[in-house]
Structures are given as structure tokens and as C-alpha cells.
Amino acid sequence: MFWKWLEDNFKYRRKCAIVFGRRRRNSVLEVSGSQKITQQQYRALLACIDYLEQHIGVYGLFVTGGSVTHVKRIFDKLKAGCPLLLDYLRSAHAPRECAMAFHQFLSLYQVQVLPQRCVDVVLGDVAGVPKRLIALDVLNLLHEEYDDTRLHFAKRYLQLMRRYTLYGYLRPTEVHAVITPYLVVPKIFRGPDLRTNMQAKSMTLLELFLLAQLLDDPSALSEQLQQACAAYWQSN
């Protein structure tokens, strides 16, 4: 009875048919454009994430670009899939430039961090549904929709943004203003309707970031999703 109620009432969970050949199997990450991500570029992106995690507290990360020359140089190394990118970043000490080049690469190559079905959940009929429940559902769907490099990159990116949300861009006396979701919205939701329901999208993304560690523990994720569903059912 309970699961039948969920099925009837969770209208926002849009089912989509599998279109064979939709994924670009010769691209190691999902992309929405004509570009393809090579294995070398994928490793370079992970090197950027490793480096940014180590410098997450640098003021201005993802907000100010620093040296334009360094940004271009790092971007070119990402594009070339440079195997020594992490060594270069450490020697250049350019975390702000790395963050800017990293996001520029995701934008130019239209890397789809979340699968379309997850995006559809956030954009669906979610009026009155708690943002935490939506986020848990998206994380659960992520395991169903993505695997291998796609899943690993999504996990690393979401967990990077979690660290950035919790520990990033603060000075000792600064009020903590959470800006991470607003920076990431263009990387997740593409298209002409980007600014539509900006606040709702940002709030859901914030929950996604805060819950991202659950991606490492699918059983805990499933348990929390069931608890959130039960709480929502009891309150409606």
C-alpha cells in the first residue's frame, strides 16, 4: 500500500525510455554536445579535483580567476589530457586558476555531471516535495543511471562541491554565505531556461552537496531515502 501510494504521488519522478545508442560510448563522460572526453582528459579532470580538494580553503576559489595566462595554460593542458597536470599545478601553485579552467572545460565540452533523468527529477513536478527528499532520490538514481567513469566523476564532483560548501572561501571573520549552488547551476542545468526557478534549483543542489558522501555508502543512502519517503508520506 505504501509503495503504491509513492508510485501514485511522486509525479516528479519522470520515467524515460532508454534510447539505444544515445550515449557516446567513445566518450568516457556523458556530454550533451558533439565533443568527446578521452580517457586522458578524464584523468586530467580528476587531477584538478585532487588539487582543488587540497586547496579548498583558498579565498576566491571558483569566483576569481587569477592570472588569465595560467587559466589558459591549465585549460590547454586539460584539453590535451596532460598526464603531468597535477605536478604542474603543484609547482605553479594556481588553485584559483585551476578552478576557473576546470569549470571552463566542463562548460565548453558540455560535460553532463548528472544524467538527464536526475535533472528531470529536479525540474519535474516537485511542488511541496522536500528538497532533501528530491536530493536523496537524485543520488539514488545516479547509481541506476551512471556507472564506471561517469559515476565516479559525478561522485568526485559532487563531493568536491560539498567540501567547497563546508570549508571553502572563508576568511576568519567572514560570514559564511553559501554561494556554491549558484556557481554550479550552469554546470548541471543547461539550456535557455537556466534562470527559471533558480532558487529552487539552488536549494536542491545544496542538499545534493551536503548529502554527497552517501554516494560512498549505497545502503545508507537507500535507508535515508526510505526514511525521507516515509516522513513525507506521514505528513501528507
Side-chain angles (χ1 to χ4, degrees):
M1 183 69 178
F2 171 58
W3 295 111
K4 179 65 169 63
W5 181 90
L6 286 179
E7 183 179 342
D8 292 341
N9 286 274
F10 274 39
K11 296 179 290 182
Y12 71 87
R13 171 71 82 88
R14 298 179 184 174
K15 298 288 185 180
C16 59
I18 297 174
V19 179
F20 294 101
R22 178 173 60 88
R23 283 188 176 178
R24 300 178 185 277
R25 284 299 177 184
N26 51 349
S27 176
V28 299
L29 294 180
E30 196 76 9
V31 292
S32 54
S34 59
Q35 303 277 12
K36 300 176 182 65
I37 306 299
T38 66
Q39 190 69 234
Q40 292 78 14
Q41 289 171 329
Y42 167 69
R43 293 195 190 101
L45 288 169
L46 293 183
C48 280
I49 292 178
D50 289 340
Y51 180 74
L52 292 171
E53 285 179 338
Q54 295 165 11
H55 297 83
I56 205 69
V58 171
Y59 188 77
L61 206 66
F62 289 106
V63 179
T64 59
S67 166
V68 175
T69 302
H70 271 315
V71 172
K72 184 179 185 306
R73 193 170 296 161
I74 295 167
F75 180 88
D76 289 342
K77 289 181 180 293
L78 276 169
K79 186 177 179 180
C82 176
L84 301 177
L85 178 56
L86 186 55
D87 292 337
Y88 171 78
L89 292 171
R90 287 169 175 164
S91 63
H93 189 64
R96 289 180 299 169
E97 291 85 349
C98 175
M100 198 61 64
F102 176 74
H103 262 177
Q104 283 182 6
F105 185 91
L106 295 188
S107 295
L108 182 65
Y109 279 75
Q110 299 182 54
V111 175
Q112 202 167 318
V113 178
L114 293 180
Q116 188 58 46
R117 191 175 168 199
C118 289
V119 174
D120 287 344
V121 165
V122 179
L123 300 180
D125 184 5
V126 293
V129 181
K131 298 295 185 288
R132 185 174 184 275
L133 176 53
I134 299 170
L136 286 167
D137 193 31
V138 167
L139 293 176
N140 189 59
L141 271 176
L142 187 55
H143 278 285
E144 296 179 17
E145 295 290 301
Y146 273 178
D147 55 15
D148 200 27
T149 52
R150 289 169 168 82
L151 177 60
H152 183 69
F153 183 78
K155 287 169 62 174
R156 291 295 307 276
Y157 183 79
L158 292 176
Q159 290 172 0
L160 171 67
M161 290 302 123
R162 179 181 184 272
R163 286 181 59 82
Y164 183 54
T165 301
L166 295 176
Y167 308 115
Y169 54 80
L170 285 179
R171 287 173 175 164
T173 58
E174 187 175 37
V175 175
H176 194 152
V178 179
I179 62 173
T180 317
Y182 295 95
L183 296 174
V184 175
V185 162
K187 313 304 172 194
I188 304 293
F189 306 100
R190 304 185 184 278
D193 298 328
L194 175 63
R195 297 190 180 278
T196 304
N197 298 324
M198 185 76 165
Q199 184 177 1
K201 292 174 184 174
S202 298
M203 290 174 64
T204 303
L205 282 180
L206 179 58
E207 290 288 351
L208 266 179
F209 300 152
L210 296 177
L211 295 166
Q213 292 302 103
L214 289 172
L215 288 169
D216 291 329
D217 190 347
S219 60
L221 172 58
S222 178
E223 182 180 350
Q224 291 219 24
L225 177 58
Q226 290 184 33
Q227 290 174 357
C229 285
Y232 180 66
W233 174 59
Q234 290 172 1
S235 64
N236 286 273

